Amino acid sequence: MPPAHTAPPRIVWLLGPALVAGVAYLDPGNVASNMTAGAQYGYLLVWVVLAGNVMAWLIQYLSAKLGVVTGRSLPEMLGTRLRRPWARRAYWLQAELVAMATDLAEIIGGAVALNLLFDVPLLLGGLITGAVSMILLAVQSRRGARPFEFVIIGLMLIITVGFVAGVFVAPPDPAGVVGGIVPRFEGTGSVLLAASILGATIMPHAIYAHSSLARDRFGATSARGDVEAERTGAARIRRLLAATRWDVSIAMVIAGSVNLAILLLAAANLAGVEGTDTLEGAHAALADGLGPVVATFFAVGLLASGLASTSVGAYAGAEIMQGLLHVRIPLLARRLVTLIPALVILGIGVDPTLALVLSQVVLSFGIPFALIPLVALTAQKRLLGPWANRVWTTTAGAVASVLLIVLNGALLWLVLTGA
């Protein structure tokens, strides 16, 4: 009998990597940055959230495309192109600092959420968050990519409900939202928060991780050899890239909507309320103004955010080390080591919300180091062949890179000069 025809998988079964990477856009640093921006400046920075989300779509698609077409991650590509050991180590160091800043935000966010929900001390909450993230990483290590994706996507649904519920209870002012679409700043503080929002929206570790997630899920897809093999390989890549565009679009719509909802919730309900520049104060203000149910939803969303995003961050950090230093440390061992800075911050009593916002600023400075190589590599026809970027795609990526670098430079100048 002839072999039974096996239909190609439906696009829905090819979704997942972008949704996992998209959790990075919903981490506690996002909550702190967007909540603080809304409470302090109202609807002023709505445009930053929207612009960041548009740029994030392009960037995450390029990252996934690199992994799908080449079967290699961005850190692996950089590790082979940076031939001098000192260059690889320097590049790894900045990427590692960014990954540590990410982990700091996520562990602290989980600790704050446990404190709000169950009055757990912050240090113990950090340990619990780290322990749960180790369980999630064990799922990825032992069961593979697909079960890990299901767990993270489940947490993403909890995050979405937790953070969006309040907007339906107390809707924002439509005129204020429309006014916030016009790009503008009001002093150094708004520039600082804009950089913080972009650092939380376009996260370097998400750029590194997405190419790795696509590689792990789909493997190398380029086919070489006879004409039929090449035709089959090209068809498979085309199908995977079509699924990837849907995957990235769904992930970015969810992430953008949640981030915007957080800012609008604060702008509509927390503007002028004292103490809302901290997560604890924002939670208390939500409880007073909108009731304990909305405040509980917020805290549950924050907890799910910390648990999901810290797992993805640890995965990204391991891939960065492997790709650039050619050293692979078991995920669980790395998780233990990277817990230390966050636990130290919690132990010495640094204000959690301040640490979260500053961590996002650190992330924003790591963006060019991930973004510029990504745009350059995906534009190379000798690397991606017919799947290389079109001119307009490379131009859009270059414009996004320049805008982000200029904003970060302006931020540094304003902070150093006190302007």
Side-chain angles (χ1 to χ4, degrees):
M1 292 180 59
H5 174 70
T6 302
R10 294 179 180 273
I11 282 184
V12 68
W13 292 109
L14 300 177
L15 306 180
L19 292 170
V20 174
V23 166
Y25 298 96
L26 299 173
D27 80 338
N30 291 80
V31 181
S33 297
N34 290 308
M35 188 69 71
T36 303
Q40 293 186 2
Y41 293 96
Y43 302 101
L44 177 71
L45 299 180
V46 165
W47 68 274
V48 177
V49 176
L50 296 177
N53 206 59
V54 171
M55 288 188 286
W57 187 97
L58 174 62
I59 292 164
Q60 292 307 131
Y61 174 69
L62 294 181
S63 178
K65 181 170 73 169
L66 184 68
V68 167
V69 177
T70 68
R72 304 181 72 188
S73 68
L74 178 59
E76 287 174 328
M77 288 290 183
L78 293 171
T80 59
R81 281 160 172 72
L82 297 173
R83 301 188 182 279
R84 297 183 181 277
W86 66 265
R88 287 200 308 273
R89 293 182 189 124
Y91 200 99
W92 166 79
L93 181 60
Q94 65 80 26
E96 191 68 35
L97 290 174
V98 167
M100 289 175 64
T102 302
D103 214 39
L104 174 70
E106 293 153 355
I107 294 295
I108 288 178
V112 170
L114 287 170
N115 178 261
L116 295 175
L117 288 168
F118 308 111
D119 201 26
V120 175
L122 288 177
L123 183 58
L124 178 58
L127 286 169
I128 293 173
T129 303
V132 174
S133 72
M134 291 181 70
I135 294 173
L136 298 180
L137 290 171
V139 172
Q140 196 275 342
S141 297
R142 298 179 182 179
R143 299 295 182 88
R146 196 58 172 166
F148 182 64
E149 288 173 6
F150 282 134
V151 173
I152 298 300
I153 291 170
L155 289 171
M156 177 182 271
L157 292 176
I158 297 174
I159 294 167
T160 302
V161 173
F163 291 144
V164 173
V167 175
F168 289 97
V169 175
D173 173 36
V177 177
V178 173
I181 297 175
V182 180
R184 64 192 190 280
F185 294 110
E186 289 182 3
T188 306
S190 64
V191 178
L192 175 66
L193 280 171
S196 181
I197 290 171
L198 287 175
T201 303
I202 305 171
M203 303 186 75
H205 83 280
I207 299 173
Y208 297 123
H210 201 166
S211 60
S212 301
L213 289 163
R215 176 207 62 198
D216 289 350
R217 179 71 179 281
F218 303 121
T221 58
S222 57
R224 302 178 185 274
D226 58 60
V227 174
E228 183 61 30
E230 290 181 5
R231 186 181 298 115
T232 303
R236 183 167 186 255
I237 292 175
R238 190 177 299 108
R239 181 174 180 79
L240 291 176
L241 291 180
T244 295
R245 285 190 287 272
W246 277 102
D247 197 19
V248 174
S249 297
I250 293 169
M252 291 301 100
V253 166
I254 293 172
S257 299
V258 173
N259 283 322
L260 185 59
I262 294 170
L263 188 148
L264 296 180
L265 179 66
N269 301 282
L270 304 183
V273 178
E274 192 165 339
T276 53
D277 55 342
T278 68
L279 289 174
E280 298 90 338
H283 176 266
L286 288 174
D288 291 340
L290 302 180
V293 174
V294 171
T296 300
F297 269 95
F298 173 82
V300 170
L302 182 62
L303 177 59
S305 168
L307 294 175
S309 54
T310 192
S311 303
V312 176
Y315 170 87
E319 290 299 324
I320 291 168
M321 178 174 285
Q322 166 67 13
L324 291 168
L325 299 186
H326 310 302
V327 174
R328 180 168 290 280
I329 296 177
L331 270 175
L332 299 184
R334 180 183 172 83
R335 167 79 286 173
L336 284 173
V337 173
T338 54
L339 272 175
I340 295 174
L343 295 178
V344 169
I345 293 291
L346 292 171
I348 63 178
V350 174
D351 177 59
T353 302
L354 176 62
L356 286 174
V357 173
L358 292 180
S359 73
Q360 303 310 297
V361 176
V362 173
L363 294 180
S364 72
F365 282 99
I367 290 171
F369 293 98
L371 183 53
I372 293 175
L374 175 67
V375 175
L377 287 171
T378 53
Q380 295 181 10
K381 287 192 175 182
R382 60 185 175 84
L383 182 63
L384 272 72
W387 316 110
N389 297 342
R390 297 180 185 273
V391 173
W392 73 267
T393 305
T394 301
T395 301
V399 169
S401 302
V402 170
L403 288 174
L404 291 166
I405 292 170
V406 168
L407 178 60
N408 289 327
L411 167 66
L412 184 61
W413 182 80
L414 289 171
V415 171
L416 292 179
T417 61

